[in-house]
Amino acid sequence: MDDFQIQNPVKIHHHIGQAISLRGLRAEVKRADGINAKIAVFLTNIVGSMWCAYAFAVIALFGLRPAVQPGGEGIVAWIAQTFLQLVLLSVIMVGQNVQSLSSDVRSQDTYADTLQILDRLDIHTAGGIKNIADRLDALEAKIDRQ
């Protein structure tokens, strides 16, 4: 039991770079089957990047001046209808990617921990639970004979 180590909690900041990067986009598009799937994977990865969020923020800022001028839609409408919808779309997608990667790492750690626990249980080998169960059966048989 001395070599058993408890896994540290998963740190999200390790996965942010992978989630906001466009690296590997070509490989992901190649894995998709069919032209529609390839287009969907490409657009999802582009829109779900921080670079797209920055571009959307710049585009939204172009509409700020006309919105605050007299007769414009107003600052509240501009924030609600333009800025939030454009920028938060990409930011939410990036956040979901980061959470997904962290969840994947946690599930891999849980799987590794489970394998280690099962290995430690030593169910079918000498000295394991099987020997204890056999010994209990022998004691039960001895008690029944008395």
Side-chain angles (χ1 to χ4, degrees):
M1 286 267 191
D2 295 332
D3 61 344
F4 181 73
Q5 296 177 350
I6 296 175
Q7 297 282 340
N8 290 331
V10 175
K11 303 290 185 189
I12 291 178
H13 64 82
H14 295 295
H15 308 292
I16 291 176
Q18 186 178 354
I20 65 174
S21 173
L22 294 177
R23 289 187 189 127
L25 178 60
R26 183 174 292 170
E28 287 187 37
V29 170
K30 283 183 180 180
R31 277 190 300 201
D33 293 332
I35 188 70
N36 288 334
K38 289 181 187 302
I39 292 170
V41 167
F42 177 77
L43 289 177
T44 301
N45 283 317
I46 293 295
V47 174
S49 70
M50 284 305 295
W51 294 111
C52 189
Y54 301 143
F56 282 169
V58 169
I59 291 169
L61 289 175
F62 283 127
L64 177 60
R65 187 170 182 206
V68 294
Q69 289 179 348
E73 62 187 45
I75 189 72
V76 173
W78 175 82
I79 289 172
Q81 295 173 357
T82 305
F83 192 78
L84 289 180
Q85 288 182 11
L86 280 176
V87 177
L88 284 185
L89 168 71
S90 294
V91 172
I92 289 170
M93 289 178 72
V94 169
Q96 287 176 337
N97 289 342
V98 170
Q99 289 176 341
S100 173
L101 290 170
S102 296
S103 175
D104 291 347
V105 171
R106 279 192 303 272
S107 66
Q108 286 290 358
D109 289 345
T110 301
Y111 177 73
D113 291 344
T114 303
L115 285 180
Q116 190 172 16
I117 289 169
L118 287 175
D119 186 48
R120 301 239 181 218
L121 285 176
D122 207 18
I123 295 172
H124 296 291
T125 59
I129 294 175
K130 185 174 181 333
N131 286 351
I132 295 171
D134 291 344
R135 180 74 175 147
L136 288 173
D137 289 341
L139 288 173
E140 184 179 8
K142 186 177 180 181
I143 291 172
D144 287 342
R145 279 186 261 140
Q146 290 178 350

